[in-house]
Amino acid sequence: QVHLAESGGGSVQAGGSLRLSCTTSGFQSSRRCMAWFRQAPGKEREPVARINYDGTPNYPASMKGRFTISRVVDTDTMDLRMVNVEPEDTAMYYCAADATSANCWSWAPGAYDYWGRGTQVTVSS
């Protein structure tokens, strides 16, 4: 059974940092495209970062500079490092995986087959 679980969320002051983690089981996540998305109340789910099977990261233009995605193959874990966080970063953060593709090809949430339940990040000013 496929399972993705996010952790590391919490409350942080603006300018601080957080590291989110996503642990996986039930499929070979190390061989698949994975991604982080976020969704704030009243807003659509938006991509934060994605990573190919070989560790190559990619970021939407709006997210470049303050987010770093990485994966630890031996533990089937994917991380998201957030620095200089802003109140606008407040959202539920989700990890996602493509069931079949090793290289990421889309930013659309619909392109990802597996999802975690999310971890809440709240940034106060």
Side-chain angles (χ1 to χ4, degrees), residues 69-89:
I69 190 172
S70 62
R71 64 195 314 163
V72 181
V73 173
D74 291 344
T75 60
D76 285 339
T77 301
M78 177 181 66
D79 289 347
L80 182 71
R81 175 73 171 168
M82 307 168 60
V83 299
N84 292 329
V85 295
E86 304 170 349
E88 293 73 22
D89 295 322

Side-chain angles (χ1 to χ4, degrees), residues 10-34:
S11 297
V12 61
Q13 287 192 330
S17 62
L18 277 176
R19 181 184 293 275
L20 308 183
S21 292
C22 174
T23 56
T24 68
S25 62
F27 72 110
Q28 289 184 310
S29 63
S30 61
R31 297 186 180 185
R32 296 291 178 260
C33 162
M34 295 192 67

